[in-house]
Amino acid sequence: MLKIDKAMDQVTYVSMALFAAIWIVLIAIIVSGAWHFVQTHGFVSSVASFQWDPLQSHFGIGSFIVGSITVTLLALVLAIPGSLALGVLGSRILQGKWQQQFVRFLTVFVSVPSVLYGWWGLTVVVPGIRRLSHTSGYGPLSASIVLALMIVPTFSILSLNALRHVPESYIEGSIGLGASEDQTLWHIILPAARPRIVQAALIAVARGLGETIAVQMVIGGQVRITSLLHPASTLTTQLLTDLPLLPVGVPGHHVLDFMALWLLILMTVIVWLQYRLRGSGT
Amino acid sequence: MIFSRRQLIMGLIWGPLLASGRSFGDLFNRRPLVVPRMTIMGASSCLGYVKAVLPQWERQYGPVHVAVSGGGSYAGLRALATGQVDIALADVMPPPGYIGVPVRRYVLGRLPIVIVAHQGVGVKQIACDQTRQLFHGTITNWRDVGGNNLPVVVVSRPLSSGAREVVQTRLMGRSQFSAHSIIQLSNGAVIKTVADTPGAIGYVEAVMPLWRVQIMAVGNRAKPPEKASNRKLYAEPAVYIRRETRALVISLAEYLANDPRRPRFGIYPLGSEEGSPC
């Protein structure tokens, strides 16, 4: 048995090394391609430019960066109230079996494939926005609403866990001093859980930033962002759209590496923020 | 318990890897390759036709396995240039020097491209100039072309699309598509968007039933030509192979270019009408 354990130890180390090596190779491919692109076309001129026409060697990705950040932040803003409300409902109001069933219910929604959210967006959100705004209905606002709905279950479950971690003694102390349930929630529970809730929000943001299909189905795919109500693109949706146009080996393909690198950079910033904000938790 | 939890997990990770490695080894080392393999890649508009007629050719030529995948015309041509595939399907004309190796081109026929609009726009015929201005975004309401009071919503395809290239070169000329146009990745998505969006206008390759949309007559015609092969907006999908290649690949390319079932999939023999629709 000891021999098997030792062998398994070695297999574990090899697996870890293999895993790390695969990731390093993947990132190296993207960084190398992006570096090649930056050397040819320049960093600032590509990021600051909004002109995208790869067949004419115009590689301005500014519009896609703005699109990604806008759609994700707007989705977060739309998701925060509902997610926190569901978190409070699941952690403080529902008890016992009801609480368990509620968590299961949210978990089911976490596992719904994103294409179904996109389909829902196409059949409900886009016509709704069209009716209200008298535009086509496709655009960053529709994408944000779909994305908000997608991240609400994840955000809610993580918020629910954050609220559960607030020590009972804090709550009992607050009630004991004469505070009402609402006062305790606003002034004790939510502030105490804030670092974990912020973490939850960042995890939700990371999911939103990387989402492609659901956003692609409702954002409209136009290469220049002009308003929340007109078609636009994000980094991920434009990567998807232009992969057939710029396959490996074609001049201009490396702009896709550069866009992928931007996604990695934005994701890294989110992870960094998450670690920074975790330090002050309860 | 015979295995620890960790052993079980590692087994689950490595088992399939080792098993696939063994079969991979079998494929290349132990057992000779008796079944010739070929790969086709390219324009999704031709995939329906290719997949439908391929089994008959495979039966005719004995044990041969052909893998077919989409990815778009440009990706298919690039893969042909680098030797990753044997046959590329493309409904765009590759820019000079794009392929970089000597190739043979077999035209499959004509794939009509149809201008479609939402059923509530109130017109069935538009002049060429009007079509251009509608796509460009100069005309913003259907009222201006004799239709109902509805804002115009342009639905287009991405730059990699063969249909877009045809509409751009043969209809739009120097005009560009509206900066507010909706870009959809497939013919099906264009049809759904046009059918569902009041005031929408778009264009599709007629490889599928065009239901719930208004097919527009463009130019001086009172209605779209009855014979699909006579429509003047069309893509010319073609099969590309390397000039120096296996006889089997040439045989398949010729078979695809000559099979009489092409019209069933929207690809018609070259017609008599030539020139621009406008």
Side-chain angles (χ1 to χ4, degrees):
Chain A
M1 213 38 133
L2 275 174
K3 271 188 179 175
I4 291 177
D5 272 351
K6 268 192 176 177
M8 291 313 292
D9 273 348
Q10 283 166 355
V11 172
T12 307
Y13 295 139
V14 171
S15 301
M16 282 167 59
L18 187 70
F19 185 71
I22 289 170
W23 273 104
I24 288 168
V25 169
L26 285 178
I27 291 172
I29 289 170
I30 290 174
V31 171
S32 143
W35 179 246
H36 189 274
F37 173 80
V38 168
Q39 279 187 318
T40 320
H41 298 279
F43 182 87
V44 178
S45 55
S46 305
V47 174
S49 167
F50 280 53
Q51 200 179 358
W52 176 262
D53 188 352
L55 295 179
Q56 302 296 325
S57 295
H58 297 306
F59 296 111
I61 64 166
S63 187
F64 310 138
I65 295 173
V66 172
S68 282
I69 293 172
T70 306
V71 168
T72 311
L73 289 183
L74 189 56
L76 183 66
V77 169
L78 293 172
I80 283 175
S83 304
L84 281 182
L86 290 173
V88 171
L89 178 71
S91 63
R92 294 288 150 197
I93 298 171
L94 298 176
Q95 301 293 328
K97 270 187 184 175
W98 284 104
Q99 194 180 50
Q100 283 176 5
Q101 293 304 326
F102 182 70
V103 173
R104 279 183 197 153
F105 176 73
L106 287 177
T107 312
V108 167
F109 278 92
V110 171
S111 57
V112 170
S114 54
V115 70
L116 292 188
Y117 283 104
W119 186 253
W120 175 81
L122 216 49
T123 51
V124 179
V125 178
V126 169
I129 299 285
R130 185 187 302 142
R131 230 168 279 132
L132 292 173
S133 66
H134 303 291
T135 60
S136 67
Y138 290 84
L141 182 60
S142 298
S144 299
I145 293 171
V146 171
L147 211 50
L149 193 88
M150 273 186 71
I151 64 178
V152 158
T154 310
F155 195 0
S156 303
I157 289 176
L158 295 172
S159 306
L160 191 150
N161 283 330
L163 295 168
R164 271 183 187 166
H165 273 84
V166 176
E168 261 327 291
S169 57
Y170 286 22
I171 299 160
E172 285 167 5
S174 171
I175 301 283
L177 287 170
S180 67
E181 290 273 352
D182 285 351
Q183 286 170 327
T184 304
L185 177 68
W186 282 107
H187 300 291
I188 304 294
I189 299 174
L190 286 178
R194 190 172 53 90
R196 283 174 185 272
I197 291 174
V198 172
Q199 265 189 304
L202 290 171
I203 290 169
V205 164
R207 189 181 177 194
L209 191 64
E211 179 51 42
T212 309
I213 282 296
V215 177
Q216 168 69 38
M217 289 168 82
V218 297
I219 198 166
Q222 190 50 251
V223 294
R224 186 173 290 205
I225 186 167
T226 51
S227 82
L228 290 178
L229 293 167
H230 287 106
S233 286
T234 64
L235 284 166
T236 50
T237 60
Q238 199 59 33
L239 266 169
L240 180 72
T241 304
D242 280 335
L243 268 174
L245 183 69
L246 302 168
V248 180
V250 163
H253 168 78
H254 290 309
V255 72
L256 302 182
D257 292 318
F258 189 53
M259 287 158 76
L261 184 68
W262 263 96
L263 275 173
L264 280 179
I265 290 170
L266 292 173
M267 290 286 188
T268 309
V269 169
I270 291 169
V271 173
W272 176 77
L273 279 173
Q274 210 177 305
Y275 278 101
R276 288 278 297 173
L277 296 167
R278 195 165 61 176
S280 53
T282 49
Chain B
M1 201 171 161
I2 303 169
F3 297 109
S4 70
R5 190 178 300 171
R6 189 177 56 171
Q7 287 166 358
L8 183 67
I9 290 169
M10 296 313 296
L12 288 173
I13 293 171
W14 283 93
L17 275 176
L18 293 173
S20 62
R22 191 180 162 187
S23 56
F24 202 64
D26 282 350
L27 192 67
F28 287 100
N29 299 329
R30 296 183 186 178
R31 201 170 54 203
L33 267 178
V34 288
V35 179
R37 286 165 189 274
M38 288 165 59
T39 316
I40 300 178
M41 183 181 178
S44 52
S45 58
C46 308
L47 288 186
Y49 162 65
V50 171
K51 283 181 181 173
V53 302
L54 203 51
Q56 189 182 328
W57 183 84
E58 284 176 323
R59 279 195 299 275
Q60 197 178 331
Y61 280 83
V64 55
H65 178 74
V66 184
V68 184
S69 66
S73 302
Y74 288 100
L77 291 170
R78 196 64 213 164
L80 179 73
T82 54
Q84 292 167 34
V85 301
D86 300 289
I87 293 179
L89 301 168
D91 55 5
V92 296
M93 279 303 284
Y98 187 87
I99 305 179
V101 292
V103 292
R104 295 184 206 187
R105 179 171 183 259
Y106 298 85
V107 178
L108 294 179
R110 281 181 181 172
L111 190 54
I113 292 166
V114 182
I115 308 292
V116 289
H118 185 264
Q119 285 180 328
V121 298
V123 282
K124 293 181 177 178
Q125 185 185 8
I126 39 178
C128 290
D129 267 350
Q130 290 174 329
T131 315
R132 251 178 241 121
Q133 288 170 9
L134 284 164
F135 278 133
H136 181 252
T138 318
I139 296 176
T140 55
N141 197 304
W142 284 97
R143 193 178 41 202
D144 300 340
V145 291
N148 297 327
N149 181 16
L150 273 174
V152 176
V153 176
V154 179
V155 185
S156 183
R157 299 283 310 274
L159 287 168
S160 56
S161 154
R164 176 168 173 153
E165 191 189 75
V166 170
V167 175
Q168 180 71 61
T169 52
R170 294 173 67 87
L171 181 70
M172 297 291 285
R174 289 184 182 175
S175 295
Q176 295 297 315
F177 285 95
S178 162
H180 288 159
S181 56
I182 298 165
I183 306 294
Q184 292 293 11
L185 299 187
S186 66
N187 285 313
V190 171
I191 290 178
K192 174 161 174 52
T193 307
V194 170
D196 291 348
T197 312
I201 181 170
Y203 53 88
V204 286
E205 288 161 319
V207 290
M208 59 181 67
L210 302 172
W211 51 281
R212 292 207 299 132
V213 290
Q214 171 72 52
I215 298 174
M216 303 298 282
V218 177
N220 298 324
R221 299 173 185 281
K223 58 179 184 173
E226 290 295 325
K227 269 183 82 180
S229 56
N230 283 343
R231 296 208 175 116
K232 287 187 174 179
L233 265 184
Y234 53 83
E236 270 190 0
V239 167
Y240 288 80
I241 59 172
R242 284 171 161 245
R243 194 170 288 163
E244 301 298 325
T245 188
R246 290 178 282 166
L248 206 57
V249 175
I250 298 170
S251 155
L252 178 55
E254 286 173 353
Y255 170 79
L256 290 175
N258 294 306
D259 192 283
R261 285 171 286 178
R262 282 168 293 161
R264 252 193 268 166
F265 299 90
I267 303 168
Y268 297 89
L270 300 181
S272 55
E273 293 195 40
E274 295 291 339
S276 162
C278 301

